[in-house]
Amino acid sequence: MVAEKIDGNAVAKKIRERIHAEIAEKQKVSSRFKPSLTIIQVGDRSDSSTYVRMKLKAAEEANIDCKLTKFPEDVSEVELLEYIDQINNDPSVHGLLVQLPLPKHINEVNVTEAVSVDKDVDGFGTYNIGELAKRGGKPLFTPCTPKGVMVLLEEAGVDLAGKNAVVIGRSDIVGSPASYLLKNADATVTVCHSRTKNLPEIVKQADVVVAAIGKAQFVKGEWLKEGAVVIDVGTNYIPDSTKKSGQRLVGDVDYESAAQVASKITPVPGGVGPMTVAMLLQNVVASAKRHAEVQSARSIKPLPLKLQSPVPSDIAVSRAQRPKNIKTVAKELGLTENEVELFGAYKAKVKLDVYDRLKHRKDGKYVLVAGITPTPLGEGKSTTTMGISQALGAHLGKICFANVRQPSQGPTFGIKGGAAGGGYAQVIPMDEFNMHLTGDIHAITAANNLLAAAIDTRMFHEATQKDKALYSRLVPKKKGVREFAPIWFRRLRKLGINKTNPDDLTEEEITRFARLDIDPETITWKRVLDVNDRHLRQIEIGLAPTEKGHRRVTGFDISVASEVMAVLALSTDLADMRERLGRMVIGTSKQGEPVTCDDLGVGGALTALMKDAIKPNLMQTLEGTPVFVHAGPFANISIGASSVIADKLALKLAGTEEDEDPVEKAGYVVTEAGFDFTMGGERFFNIKCRSSGLVPDVVVIVATVRALKVHGGGPDISPGAPLAEEYRTENVELLRKGCVNLAKHIANAKSYGVPVIVAVNKFETDTDAEIQCIREEAVKAGAEDAIMANHWAEGGKGAIDLAKGIIEASQKPKDFKLLYDENLSIVEKLEAIATKMYGAAGIELTENAKKQAETYTRQGFSHLPVCIAKTQYSLSHDASLKGAPTGFTVPIRDIKMSPGAGYLYAKAADIQTIPGLPTAPGYINVDVDMETGEIEGLF
């Protein structure tokens, strides 16, 4: 008889067509579904090139994106491994194949093992082969040739159960995995090889023969059992003068004699070869589908809390919880190893290119947490932020980020303490959160002080050199050629000088370029440090004899008050940060022109110092939900909120793919505004949202019974002093009077067209009647609801009802609008804030403030939004005015400019930009355990 030919070409063609149709169907639901394969080829062997061309052609037919990367024959193993690592960490690539064989100087095992398990579409890696060998194992990928063998047997209608199968060849690529697959199909398998004795006799017993020994026409027809099924895996070339190449491709089986005995047989070529490629494509599609499923199924595995009563100190609560390794948190969010930069086990930086990878996603829900006018004890805004995040992420199954500022060491070692939250709703490890973190504030300090040094240095050299000498040093000759440093083209453009050759400038142009002529009386730029050192508020510099009498009075700010910090918070990417840093104004020339950081030639250097600080810091809450800690602008003269970049990135990580339900699957980003809504919330909308283009879906206003009683006329509260009777016992009448403050904040928030929820942060002394009173007054004022939360004592569990209310409110429509148009004058913007937000009758500018407003208008900065620095303890500028005062006039004493950050700030009081330390500062309690190395005494 003549054997039936098993046509691998036909079967492979059907598979490619099926793959093409499957991809097209998937793309109807998700247009971004695009299976992608990268092939690495080293050298230019003709057989390897032939195989690669086959794979490229087949991938194109199947609608699979296939990229070939070729390396020269002499490429080093290290270079090859580095490229493999790069592809392993590229989420857009679903399969990675290294075309074998490799040159002798490269270890094939090292290279194939370097391919990530979830991209090993060849199935050659230890994990996949090991799982395949296990009974009941689950490899991610089955090696392509053995898989193709099994599909051909199935297509040919061969029932393997109970059959005797002989595999000739024991390679890890074909023979051994083929034997595992045959065994899994319930065949009785014998594996033979080059040293097997009595091979023909063994083969004679086989119902199925798989030949993969690599010897041309090795298996003869007389070896076969009558009616056997033969699968020939061999690819061998033998001389053939009739062929143009002088060679002919044959298998391991002598086809002519075998076809006379076998019932079914695969030809060579046209049998297993095309099936190998088809199975490779099938593996790539399976990998792409698995990747999409993993992304869709991304979820946070919460850490359980062991609640204690009474609640221990914050540091004790933090220490009692063992955090997840930050790599685990990152993986749960769908981040690759290459997208995070580790700083120890519990914190990491996230690279900005993650945003580009995810920019197609629909943003998650954006939640802003603000508060009522607080008491000096604080009302738990940060704690509530953490509680909501833990409730949403650990108890309601949502991807939820808490986005908060990095705390300054000033308050940490001063009187306020850190900003990690508290009780069972906080960021952990809290000591790492409050100490240095990843060094962002130090980078800001360095950048700020480099600019400060540049200012005084330039003034010194301008005072001691003539124009041409100054120009020669600013644009020096190098190897006899004078060229502008790239940064100088920014100054040339500003001056309207279009020349590129330094030698072409006229004397007048040289003077204009080289001489900034800074008026010392107008310099606003100070040095900074991250310590509450009141004695540096005003200093005199230039006292050393070497400064030749060039003295001036200046001072220090705290690092978080630096405009560099505000730039970090409001930048949208690295390029935007570079532009913002460059346009920061440090003072005015004697001709009345603003002098910028780029005029001094230092913008690029500042960017270099800040290039890592711009990446958000990833941490976690007590219940293992993610936290972005990034930037920490001084809450009085700046936005007092975390960074735009962290918010934008978190909204994408918590966002939805196009094939996901944006309501059911949406994650949440809970971010915090500084101080109360009337200060922090107003700036969040009018400055941060104006800059970022993002708009919150819901505003949460944190209130406490204690603070509202103060606004109802209760006694003053002082840190460390016992609470008065009114705050320890039920007093609904006093509370209801104080709700006028809550009502004003609700009205202010609603004026931006966003739904409002009130979070009542529960204290032990609060009663049901008092909670109900707040709810009644909040709803009457226009809030969607007022919900009590006990997250401080119970963690996320205590804020579940609040989180559910936020989910419901976030689905409601919004009609976003800003408080004022940017085309209003500086004074009109100040009036809008004072009258509409604070309830003032108007504002009154000092003569100095009027001159500053006129100067900034003349210089072209009147379009910038504004913020007003004032007390946080009243809606007004006067801390003694509680409740919701009206009819007062807000005094504007001073106006400063932060054009790099993108706003102006006016002072309505004597705001200190570097705080002082109290008599008994927080640092008194801080120490290190000499046995464990742990920090003690933090809060």
Side-chain angles (χ1 to χ4, degrees), residues 300 326 329-330 333 346-350 382 385-387 389-390 400-406 419-421 425-429 433 437 616-630 642 646 650 653 668-670 672:
I300 303 299
I326 202 65
V329 177
L333 293 168
Y346 305 126
K347 55 185 184 287
K349 279 194 168 290
V350 177
S382 298
T385 298
M386 294 305 147
S389 301
Q390 289 173 208
C400 182
F401 278 82
N403 281 13
V404 295
R405 292 181 296 162
Q406 178 181 348
Q426 57 172 297
V427 186
I428 57 170
F433 174 82
L437 199 60
N617 305 296
L618 180 63
M619 294 188 76
Q620 65 193 287
T621 66
L622 276 165
E623 296 188 65
T625 61
V627 179
F628 268 147
V629 185
H630 199 217
S642 65
L653 286 165
Y668 290 77
V669 176
V670 184
E672 185 182 339

Side-chain angles (χ1 to χ4, degrees), residues 331-657:
K331 187 175 181 181
E332 290 172 351
L333 293 168
L335 293 165
T336 69
E337 288 186 11
N338 199 46
E339 290 173 332
V340 293
E341 298 172 351
L342 303 179
F343 282 74
Y346 305 126
K347 55 185 184 287
K349 279 194 168 290
V350 177
K351 295 182 179 177
L352 301 191
D353 50 14
V354 173
Y355 183 85
D356 292 329
R357 174 168 71 83
L358 302 178
K359 64 183 177 183
H360 64 278
R361 284 185 182 172
K362 182 179 175 63
D363 283 352
K365 294 294 184 179
Y366 198 23
V367 180
L368 173 64
V369 178
I372 61 169
T373 306
T375 70
L377 301 181
E379 310 317 312
K381 190 153 44 69
S382 298
T383 306
T384 301
T385 298
M386 294 305 147
I388 293 169
S389 301
Q390 289 173 208
L392 287 165
H395 296 270
L396 297 179
K398 305 292 185 181
I399 298 289
C400 182
F401 278 82
N403 281 13
V404 295
R405 292 181 296 162
Q406 178 181 348
S408 164
Q409 290 178 59
T412 296
F413 291 121
I415 191 170
K416 181 178 178 294
Y424 286 104
Q426 57 172 297
V427 186
I428 57 170
M430 71 168 298
D431 50 351
E432 294 189 28
F433 174 82
N434 284 292
M435 298 276 193
H436 305 294
L437 199 60
T438 57
D440 292 351
I441 293 180
H442 300 315
I444 286 159
T445 303
N448 183 100
N449 292 344
L450 177 61
L451 178 53
I455 295 166
D456 290 300
T457 294
R458 184 59 171 269
M459 291 173 66
F460 174 83
H461 290 303
E462 285 191 25
T464 55
Q465 299 178 52
K466 296 187 180 300
D467 293 353
K468 285 189 177 179
L470 184 64
Y471 182 69
S472 294
R473 287 177 173 83
L474 289 171
V475 191
K477 284 186 177 180
K478 294 181 179 179
K479 297 181 179 178
V481 178
R482 193 187 305 279
E483 291 183 343
F484 286 118
I487 198 168
W488 289 139
F489 289 108
R490 293 172 179 260
R491 174 148 178 81
L492 290 167
R493 284 194 296 271
K494 177 180 175 179
L495 296 172
I497 300 172
N498 298 317
K499 298 172 182 177
T500 57
N501 184 346
D503 296 326
D504 290 346
L505 268 66
T506 65
E507 286 189 11
E508 187 264 339
E509 287 172 336
I510 286 173
T511 298
R512 289 174 59 214
F513 173 87
R515 195 160 293 283
L516 300 180
D517 207 16
I518 300 168
D519 180 353
E521 296 300 317
T522 68
I523 295 173
T524 55
W525 199 264
K526 296 181 179 181
R527 288 160 175 81
V528 300
L529 77 169
D530 199 31
V531 176
N532 287 2
D533 192 344
R534 64 190 307 139
H535 299 288
L536 294 176
R537 288 171 180 166
Q538 182 171 315
I539 61 170
E540 186 176 8
I541 60 172
L543 300 181
T546 51
E547 308 317 304
K548 302 177 181 179
H550 294 283
R551 301 179 179 183
R552 72 181 182 92
V553 174
T554 180
F556 273 75
D557 290 335
I558 195 164
S559 295
V560 291
S562 169
E563 186 177 355
V564 178
M565 174 62 91
V567 165
L568 176 67
L570 290 167
S571 296
T572 54
D573 54 32
L574 184 62
D576 184 40
M577 183 174 76
R578 170 64 186 89
E579 294 305 313
R580 287 172 179 270
L581 290 171
R583 65 175 182 252
M584 293 188 304
V585 172
I586 58 88
T588 302
S589 72
K590 291 175 182 175
Q591 293 74 41
E593 296 300 317
V595 180
T596 68
C597 176
D598 272 344
D599 287 332
L600 287 156
V602 75
L606 265 61
T607 307
L609 287 168
M610 295 289 294
K611 74 178 182 66
D612 291 320
I614 197 173
K615 302 167 192 170
N617 305 296
L618 180 63
M619 294 188 76
Q620 65 193 287
T621 66
L622 276 165
E623 296 188 65
T625 61
V627 179
F628 268 147
V629 185
H630 199 217
F634 198 66
N636 227 313
I637 64 166
S638 185
I639 60 169
S642 65
S643 77
V644 167
I645 283 176
D647 287 359
K648 292 180 72 172
L649 187 53
L651 285 166
K652 292 303 180 187
L653 286 165
T656 50
E657 300 285 345

Side-chain angles (χ1 to χ4, degrees), residues 365 663 668 696-698 750 753-757 782-785 804-815:
K365 294 294 184 179
V663 175
Y668 290 77
D697 295 287
V698 58
K750 283 183 66 65
V754 179
V756 175
I757 288 280
E784 303 298 325
D785 203 349
K804 287 179 178 178
I806 289 168
I807 292 173
E808 184 178 348
S810 71
Q811 307 301 333
K812 297 195 174 183
K814 57 190 178 186
D815 180 24

Side-chain angles (χ1 to χ4, degrees), residues 142-404:
T142 301
C144 301
T145 301
K147 187 176 181 179
V149 168
M150 299 303 290
V151 171
L152 285 177
L153 288 169
E154 182 182 354
E155 289 285 331
V158 178
D159 182 7
L160 291 167
K163 297 288 196 305
N164 286 325
V166 170
V167 179
I168 306 173
R170 55 179 172 177
S171 74
D172 290 335
I173 295 174
V174 181
S176 293
S179 71
Y180 306 146
L181 291 171
L182 289 164
K183 280 191 290 185
N184 290 340
D186 296 325
T188 301
V189 183
T190 304
V191 179
C192 301
H193 45 81
S194 59
R195 298 194 178 184
T196 300
K197 295 180 180 179
N198 305 316
L199 184 58
E201 289 85 348
I202 296 172
V203 173
K204 197 75 172 179
Q205 306 301 313
D207 301 307
V208 176
V209 176
V210 178
I213 199 168
K215 294 185 178 182
Q217 301 174 327
F218 179 69
V219 178
K220 309 302 180 185
E222 59 265 27
W223 292 15
L224 302 174
K225 176 181 180 180
E226 190 76 25
V229 177
V230 178
I231 305 294
D232 189 351
V233 184
T235 53
N236 310 284
Y237 287 92
I238 62 173
D240 187 336
S241 59
T242 66
K243 300 290 184 182
K244 185 177 179 180
S245 64
Q247 298 182 102
R248 177 162 58 94
L249 180 62
V250 298
D252 290 350
V253 177
D254 180 16
Y255 186 85
E256 298 301 326
S257 62
Q260 303 304 311
V261 183
S263 61
K264 300 173 189 289
I265 188 169
T266 57
V268 177
V272 175
M275 289 301 296
T276 298
V277 178
M279 294 302 100
L280 171 67
L281 302 182
Q282 206 170 69
N283 279 351
V284 173
V285 174
S287 179
K289 288 166 68 177
R290 186 184 300 113
H291 174 77
E293 289 166 2
V294 167
Q295 287 296 306
S296 180
R298 60 194 182 279
S299 62
I300 303 299
K301 296 177 177 60
L303 294 172
L305 286 179
K306 297 176 182 175
L307 303 175
Q308 295 183 45
S309 183
V311 177
S313 69
D314 290 350
I315 189 71
V317 170
S318 176
R319 287 274 160 75
Q321 181 70 293
R322 182 177 179 82
K324 291 184 281 191
N325 191 295
I326 202 65
K327 290 190 291 185
T328 301
V329 177
K331 187 175 181 181
E332 290 172 351
L333 293 168
L335 293 165
T336 69
E337 288 186 11
N338 199 46
E339 290 173 332
V340 293
E341 298 172 351
L342 303 179
F343 282 74
Y346 305 126
K347 55 185 184 287
K349 279 194 168 290
V350 177
K351 295 182 179 177
L352 301 191
D353 50 14
V354 173
Y355 183 85
D356 292 329
R357 174 168 71 83
L358 302 178
K359 64 183 177 183
H360 64 278
R361 284 185 182 172
K362 182 179 175 63
D363 283 352
K365 294 294 184 179
Y366 198 23
V367 180
L368 173 64
V369 178
I372 61 169
T373 306
T375 70
L377 301 181
E379 310 317 312
K381 190 153 44 69
S382 298
T383 306
T384 301
T385 298
M386 294 305 147
I388 293 169
S389 301
Q390 289 173 208
L392 287 165
H395 296 270
L396 297 179
K398 305 292 185 181
I399 298 289
C400 182
F401 278 82
N403 281 13
V404 295

